[in-house]
Amino acid sequence: MGQSDITLIGGGVVGLSVALGLLRAGQAVTVLDGADDDFRASQGNFGLVWLQGKGADFAPYARWTAQAVAAWPEFAASLRQTSGIDVALSQSGGYEFFTDVAELADFTADLARQEAHLGRKSYEVLTGDDLRREMSGIGQGVVGASFCALDGHLNPLRLLRALRRAVATLGGRIITDAKVTKATPASGGGFDLTLANGARRGAGKLVLCAGLGAAHLATSLGFNARIRPQRGELLITERLADRLPFLSSTIRQVDEGGVQIGGTHADAGLNDAETLTMMRGLARHAVTVFPALAGVRVVRSWGALRVMSPDGYPVYARSSLHPEAFLVTCHSGVTLAPLHASNLKDWIVNDATAPEKGAFDDNRFALSTAA
Amino acid sequence: MTIASRFQPRPEGALRLTLDGAPLTAHPGDSLAAAILCHSGEASRTTGRDSPRTAFCMMGVCFECLVEVDGLPNVQACMTEVRDGMAVRRQMGLRKLGAADV
Amino acid sequence: MSDADLIIIGAGPAGMAAASIAVQGGMRVLVLDEQPRAGGQIYRNVGNGAPRGWLGKDYAAGAGLVADLGHPNIRAEFGATVWRVEVGGRVIWSQGGISHISAAPHLLLAGGAQERPTPFAGWTLPGVMPAGAAQILMKTAGLLARDAVLAGSGPLLYLIAAQMIDAGAPPKALVETQTRAMMLRALPSLPRAVLALPTLVKGVGLLQKIRSAGVVRHTGAAAFHAEPNDKGDIAFSFTAKGRRHRIETPLLLTHQGVIPATHISRAAGVRHRWNHAQQAFEPIVGPWGRTDQPHIHIAGDGAGIAGADAAQAAGALAALDILHLAGRIGEDSRNQRSTAPRAALTRARAIRPFLDAAYAPSPEILAPEGKTIVCRCEEITAADIRQSVAEGANGPRQVKTATRAGMGPCQGRMCEITTRGILAACGTSPSPPRARTPIKPITLGEIASLQEQNA
Ligand SMILES: Cc1cc2nc3c(=O)[nH]c(=O)nc-3n(C[C@H](O)[C@H](O)[C@H](O)COP(=O)(O)OP(=O)(O)OC[C@H]3O[C@@H](n4cnc5c(N)ncnc54)[C@H](O)[C@@H]3O)c2cc1C
Ligand code: FES
């Protein structure tokens, strides 16, 4: 096993993005990925590349997200070049629709705090009437909206496939059905990994990107972050020939034509079932915002589990017990992919300072963990 | 080219429908898919990539029989009984968002 | 509050037999079926419309079962599509664009089977249909095929051929995929099949009818290919006895047996397994149709293909067990009354191993290759699926998310089993794909206006 050999545990959007960055930096990379029925946020997400409101209460996250959103066009182009896959990135602005005046006011305050962190204004707030004048078809129940011209979306399933292909094209090894159940430090340095099928393998540096599957491995390797699931439910409709006139954080039309509706949050443990209450809530939201959707059929609903750190912000941490072990985990892995594929490599390979001067280190949770 | 029905002709039915504006008759109790298949051997829809399709499974499983009925898109013709006066349109390509302009 | 003591989904032989026994036992029963009338697949449209003698005695036998549904304590709703079944006994169903929530302490899934998808080059063309679909057209609309060719394998293929002959619309040719080797492999199961002697005799009778009608037969056929000719008919070619054949026909009717319809049972969280002999997923059920979900029973072809007689018997057994679980009859009474249906079930099932082996689906439709379309809705080919597997997709979910196969309105009903076949051919042992609600597409408006009656 060579010195530069890096093993990533987890082949979702986060793991593959990090792998891509390491490969581009000339490292030898192996990605171990789990079983087909694992919880896979990368296969169940909403595909937003979104800035609006992010990091209102945590400046480093606001900056980090803004940087990621700005990096997307170039990243999408390079991905297409390496993988041959177009991820259908579109960044022509996005809305946040409100049916409740107080909620709109709260969110406007969030946006103002985010603006202060970023040092520039990237949003506007519209009344319901403004909206209806601008765009036909918006329902009377919408009282207002915020709009950020930098927001956008892409096809998350194609992103996953593009990353997979790009990693393979650049010589990375992706091993599937390789669910790691145990990681222990090896006597001569590096780690011994035990897989669910009983197989064992060695690793030099280890980067933990296994989403919800990383929780117990992270603890055993001395990390402080407690990762928890948060369920989001989504609906997808039959495909439409025409285009919706807007993108919002809860309603978006995928490039193939179906309309995806989402935005629910629930603490349901490791249960990714879809519920009738949420399905109905999402359907009501959709027909309130855009009544013409009432006649469109839902083809499928599903629940998917978000990977949440205690405060909801990313974790980029190096284990204090085992300095060759890294933890990279976050919720908005689609939005942050360009940075994961570029700005983490110096930290992992060359001992450089962690991103945002270490603001995402897991020592921010040390106290709460100890308590 | 018009393609004849792939089925033997039946006696004229008492119900009157239209298919893309042209008259079509059917018997009470017919599924709309049966009435269309009896009338013509041509595609009753095309896919998003323009491939021709007709009703297939006749039991509500395959969704190949989608047509527009009285302005309502993506209706399963095999699960819909014919009604007098139904205005049916072949559905070319993906459905539209709003009710079609009939 | 509950709307009934038992909700039965499906009004085929299994569901109808169960409903009849449950009401006799004092239960209030809600029967939901998506079709416009009772009968299920075999007794489709029975007792309705013009008499169609050529459908045979067996078909007419369904009339009694349908009549039983008239009992005052049975509420039967047709055109009623169930789109969600919840652990805890709630059923959400749609009728005429409005969704309803019904609840009952017991649930019997009797949703039957669907025809096995038969992917080969050209199977999406107008002019290619499943043979069972043509039979439905005969039963419901008296529609008879013109110079059709029947292709594939299975007992239903013979039955349909015979019905077409009797109706005066004999097929132009019968192209069968089963080989002599398959027949030989099936022989050891024949002695057991003798239990189902009447069925065997019926089968022999069908073959004689086909022979004496002079229908051309090819066996051991493979490498199916369909393309349109210049008249819009189908030019069907295949290989048999080492030679390529070509037949032109307005209508190519294919069949490779039926498989359980498992969307509801999978979405309801019932455990499923792969049945190797039948090459299909099926729910795991006990001798009374019980599943691992406490309040859900399954009976009929939806629990594994065994035909209409078996379905009727299994429906009766499930109803007796439900009466027992509900405290309406004792265990002894349940067991006593089960003797006749149990014997009927054993008889009906005896022939299955023979049929499964003799008429196994041909390998080329189980795991197709090249440009053959697997997912008809999204137009995804076998090559697309194989490529995703080569890129690391190691199960149905990853194939689906990588290729979109199964994301269309049929929700995977026409491709899941083929995707499974390809995955298996590539060396994985895929688990049953997950099914989610709505089990059939439902409009946003309808979901939005759902009233929480029983919350
Ligand atoms: C196309 C086809 C043709 C066949 N032809 C013959 C034949 O000629 N002779 C023969 O012996 N056998 C035939 N079979 C096999 C035979 O139909 C079965 O063995 C038998 O019908 C099984 O009975 P069942 O009650 O289990 O299911 P079924 O008879 O299929 O009844 C199930 C019912 O459940 C309903 N249902 C399903 N899902 C839902 C939902 N979500 N909401 C509401 N309702 C629902 C269906 O509409 C159906 O009416 C055929 C099968 C198929 C698929
Ligand atoms: S023909 Fe298959 S769903 Fe109508």
Side-chain angles (χ1 to χ4, degrees):
Chain A
M1 198 129 312
Q3 277 308 93
S4 62
D5 197 297
I6 303 179
T7 298
L8 291 102
I9 303 182
V13 168
V14 174
L16 292 170
S17 303
V18 176
L20 183 59
L22 294 170
L23 285 161
R24 284 177 173 167
Q27 301 295 305
V29 169
T30 302
V31 179
L32 303 178
D33 197 33
D36 191 46
D37 54 4
D38 282 353
F39 296 112
R40 290 169 181 265
S42 299
Q43 288 180 174
N45 73 72
F46 204 68
L48 295 178
V49 174
W50 209 255
L51 174 63
Q52 219 174 142
K54 297 276 183 76
D57 296 313
F58 191 46
Y61 186 50
R63 289 194 296 265
W64 188 240
T65 304
Q67 200 184 335
V69 164
W72 252 108
E74 204 186 311
F75 183 58
S78 75
L79 251 189
R80 175 154 63 185
Q81 203 157 45
T82 320
S83 70
I85 294 177
D86 180 356
V87 300
L89 174 72
S90 154
Q91 292 179 295
S92 46
Y95 293 86
E96 195 84 53
F97 292 113
F98 290 88
T99 52
D100 180 300
V101 183
E103 281 176 18
L104 174 60
D106 282 353
F107 191 66
T108 310
D110 286 355
L111 291 171
R113 291 203 304 286
Q114 187 197 38
E115 179 189 346
H117 300 319
L118 294 176
R120 69 192 150 114
K121 185 167 178 180
S122 56
Y123 69 93
E124 56 185 306
V125 176
L126 303 139
T127 67
D129 290 336
D130 290 343
L131 264 175
R132 281 179 285 273
R133 256 194 307 276
E134 243 172 52
M135 205 173 4
S136 66
I138 298 292
Q140 290 300 326
V142 178
V143 298
S146 57
F147 177 79
C148 170
L150 302 173
D151 285 338
H153 63 157
L154 51 70
N155 184 318
L157 298 177
R158 232 169 301 137
L159 170 63
L160 189 62
R161 197 164 184 194
L163 286 169
R164 223 183 229 177
R165 263 201 211 162
V167 166
T169 305
L170 296 183
R173 289 182 66 202
I174 303 178
I175 305 180
T176 56
D177 269 323
K179 190 168 181 165
V180 178
T181 52
K182 213 166 117 193
T184 47
S187 46
F191 298 87
D192 279 329
L193 307 180
T194 310
L195 306 189
N197 61 12
R200 312 189 69 158
R201 52 183 306 134
K205 273 187 176 157
L206 197 60
V207 187
L208 212 53
C209 310
L212 291 172
H216 77 279
L217 294 175
T219 311
S220 76
L221 289 171
F223 292 99
N224 293 312
R226 297 283 175 268
I227 298 152
R228 70 192 154 90
Q230 181 195 63
R231 182 168 68 197
E233 293 183 44
L234 294 93
L235 308 177
I236 180 88
T237 71
E238 59 196 2
R239 292 160 66 187
L240 303 175
D242 30 19
R243 305 297 306 170
L244 278 192
F246 60 84
L247 163 70
S248 92
S249 64
T250 50
I251 304 170
R252 74 177 194 103
Q253 187 173 28
V254 302
D255 57 313
E256 289 103 349
V259 178
Q260 225 176 40
I261 302 149
T264 71
H265 304 262
D267 291 315
L270 290 176
N271 176 350
D272 68 351
E274 68 281 10
T275 67
L276 194 61
T277 315
M278 292 294 185
M279 286 176 73
R280 187 179 48 188
L282 290 171
R284 284 187 179 164
H285 173 71
V287 305
T288 306
V289 169
F290 203 70
L293 286 172
V296 179
R297 290 170 191 79
V298 175
V299 170
R300 189 175 167 95
S301 70
W302 68 95
L305 301 180
R306 299 186 184 92
V307 184
M308 296 305 267
S309 65
D311 57 11
Y313 303 123
V315 177
Y316 307 126
R318 185 172 188 160
S319 167
S320 48
L321 287 181
H322 311 290
E324 299 291 83
F326 296 79
L327 173 64
V328 176
T329 185
C330 70
H331 163 52
S332 297
V334 171
T335 301
L336 299 178
L339 302 187
H340 292 165
S342 57
N343 293 23
L344 298 187
K345 58 178 192 282
D346 285 341
W347 167 58
I348 294 173
V349 179
N350 300 325
D351 292 337
T353 319
E356 288 289 329
K357 302 194 183 70
F360 299 113
D361 198 279
D362 73 337
N363 57 23
R364 69 187 196 265
F365 308 121
L367 278 179
S368 57
T369 312
Chain B
M1 176 180 55
T2 53
I3 303 168
S5 169
R6 300 165 197 278
F7 295 85
Q8 298 180 6
R10 289 185 308 176
E12 264 316 77
L15 305 181
R16 285 168 199 291
L17 295 69
T18 60
L19 178 62
D20 293 327
L24 170 83
T25 66
H27 296 269
D30 280 355
S31 68
L32 178 55
I36 296 174
L37 286 169
C38 184
H39 172 79
S40 154
E42 273 153 71
S44 48
R45 75 172 186 110
T46 58
T47 66
R49 290 189 203 158
D50 260 358
S51 328
R53 299 285 169 88
T54 44
F56 187 70
C57 73
M58 293 305 299
M59 56 183 291
V61 168
C62 72
F63 290 75
E64 291 290 15
C65 59
L66 302 179
V67 289
E68 198 184 288
V69 178
D70 296 330
L72 208 67
N74 273 4
V75 174
Q76 271 179 298
C78 76
M79 304 293 281
T80 306
E81 276 195 32
V82 288
R83 271 177 285 105
D84 206 34
M86 246 180 189
V88 185
R89 286 181 173 272
R90 293 189 169 94
Q91 200 171 285
M92 298 303 164
L94 299 175
R95 68 162 285 183
K96 296 263 178 4
L97 177 59
D101 36 0
V102 233
Chain C
M1 196 202 89
S2 59
D3 308 86
D5 302 306
L6 168 63
I7 299 176
I8 298 177
I9 302 171
M16 292 191 294
S20 163
I21 287 175
V23 279
Q24 280 162 31
M27 285 186 149
R28 290 168 308 136
V29 180
L30 172 61
V31 178
L32 302 170
D33 197 305
E34 184 176 28
Q35 296 297 334
R37 355 197 118 73
Q41 295 310 335
I42 181 160
Y43 304 130
R44 269 245 195 178
N45 212 33
V46 85
N48 193 73
R52 298 188 174 118
W54 34 263
L55 287 172
K57 282 205 304 294
D58 288 352
Y59 174 68
L65 280 172
V66 173
D68 283 355
L69 286 187
H71 191 286
N73 283 344
I74 298 180
R75 174 179 160 211
E77 298 287 350
F78 296 96
T81 301
V82 171
W83 58 267
R84 182 176 166 89
V85 165
E86 294 182 345
V87 172
R90 285 208 308 182
V91 174
I92 328 298
W93 51 285
S94 165
Q95 191 181 43
I98 298 171
S99 280
H100 308 270
I101 304 178
S102 299
H106 297 278
L107 214 58
L108 174 63
L109 309 186
Q114 68 167 73
E115 278 189 274
R116 178 190 294 283
T118 59
F120 61 89
W123 74 306
T124 59
L125 290 168
V128 183
M129 277 183 113
Q135 191 197 37
I136 292 172
L137 286 165
M138 290 168 75
K139 288 178 181 173
T140 59
L143 216 53
L144 303 174
R146 210 159 43 78
D147 295 324
V149 170
L150 286 171
S153 83
L156 190 62
L157 203 63
Y158 299 139
L159 174 66
I160 294 172
Q163 288 173 337
M164 288 170 74
I165 292 165
D166 284 344
K172 196 169 174 178
L174 189 55
V175 179
E176 301 175 46
T177 52
Q178 83 272 8
T179 58
R180 189 155 301 156
M182 288 161 73
M183 277 296 163
L184 288 177
R185 240 175 286 144
L187 278 184
S189 310
L190 200 51
R192 225 184 111 200
V194 168
L195 259 181
L197 197 58
T199 315
L200 276 179
V201 170
K202 223 182 291 168
V204 172
L206 294 177
L207 281 171
Q208 268 163 2
K209 178 169 288 180
I210 292 164
R211 223 169 278 131
S212 51
V215 176
V216 181
R217 272 181 81 189
H218 300 270
T219 54
F224 282 14
H225 182 96
E227 59 189 37
N229 71 6
D230 51 8
K231 291 191 312 234
D233 284 350
I234 294 294
F236 175 46
S237 53
F238 58 91
T239 305
K241 301 223 164 59
R243 205 160 74 70
R244 202 76 192 143
H245 300 258
R246 182 185 158 105
I247 312 180
E248 306 214 335
T249 172
L251 190 60
L252 172 62
L253 299 173
T254 66
H255 181 77
Q256 294 274 356
V258 299
I259 56 174
T262 55
H263 268 62
I264 299 189
S265 49
R266 278 185 284 140
V270 171
R271 271 192 59 201
H272 288 64
R273 68 174 163 219
W274 179 249
N275 178 327
H276 184 75
Q278 297 202 333
Q279 288 290 307
F281 286 112
E282 63 185 21
I284 301 176
V285 301
W288 299 95
R290 287 188 196 176
T291 68
D292 64 339
Q293 295 296 338
H295 63 292
I296 300 181
H297 283 66
I298 307 180
D301 276 0
I305 303 304
D309 294 343
Q312 187 172 340
L317 292 173
L320 289 170
D321 192 46
I322 291 167
L323 284 173
H324 166 57
L325 291 176
R328 291 173 189 266
I329 60 175
E331 195 172 339
D332 289 347
S333 162
R334 175 197 71 174
N335 295 350
Q336 212 175 353
R337 290 173 64 189
S338 72
T339 322
R342 182 79 63 204
L345 186 61
T346 308
R347 255 193 329 272
R349 278 191 183 149
I351 198 170
R352 273 297 137 185
F354 170 73
L355 294 179
D356 293 342
Y359 301 105
S362 65
E364 68 189 41
I365 69 124
L366 292 178
E369 296 182 35
K371 292 210 174 106
T372 293
I373 284 183
V374 171
C375 169
R376 300 175 61 109
C377 298
E378 299 294 312
E379 301 174 81
I380 310 296
T381 65
D384 294 333
I385 290 177
R386 286 175 183 269
Q387 191 188 344
S388 74
V389 177
E391 286 175 15
N394 61 342
R397 233 175 113 203
Q398 289 178 82
V399 169
K400 177 175 178 171
T401 50
T403 63
R404 289 187 63 81
M407 290 193 182
C410 93
Q411 301 167 313
R413 288 171 174 86
M414 300 307 289
C415 67
E416 275 174 353
I417 193 156
T418 314
T419 295
R420 195 245 164 234
I422 292 175
L423 276 164
C426 295
T428 68
S429 53
S431 45
R434 186 139 171 205
R436 300 267 205 173
T437 44
I439 297 158
K440 289 275 169 90
I442 299 291
T443 65
L444 280 164
E446 188 171 336
I447 298 174
S449 46
L450 198 59
Q451 299 301 318
E452 197 89 29
Q453 296 137 320
N454 306 290

